[in-house]
Amino acid sequence: MAEAYKLDCESVAGGCRFIIQSEDETEAVELAKNHMRESHGRDYADDELREEHLQVV
């Protein structure tokens, strides 16, 4: 079974129910970065998102 990469925005920015999920890790991180910038006005480094918030499902 293929792995998928998931980031639950609520774990990063409490109160936001947005979930990013992709089979491509790079895409998941890029979507998460864009969401955080556009919706929450915060910039995150790729490594920060990967190490602290990205889950493999």
Side-chain angles (χ1 to χ4, degrees), residues 1 5 7 9 13-14 16 18 21 26 31-32 35 52:
M1 180 148 76
Y5 300 90
L7 187 136
C9 188
C16 181
F18 194 76
Q21 187 167 322
T26 303
L31 289 169
H35 170 75
E52 296 180 22

Side-chain angles (χ1 to χ4, degrees), residues 5-57:
Y5 300 90
K6 174 183 170 187
L7 187 136
D8 180 351
C9 188
E10 191 167 30
S11 71
V12 182
C16 181
R17 306 281 298 190
F18 194 76
I19 296 174
I20 295 125
Q21 187 167 322
S22 176
E23 290 182 358
D24 182 283
E25 180 181 8
T26 303
E27 179 184 48
V29 170
E30 190 64 31
L31 289 169
K33 283 176 56 174
N34 290 340
H35 170 75
M36 295 306 291
R37 185 179 309 111
E38 294 170 6
S39 298
H40 302 291
R42 297 181 64 190
D43 286 319
Y44 285 86
D46 291 4
D47 290 340
E48 182 179 9
L49 289 171
R50 276 189 181 95
E51 293 171 10
E52 296 180 22
H53 305 292
L54 197 65
Q55 303 170 359
V56 178
V57 293

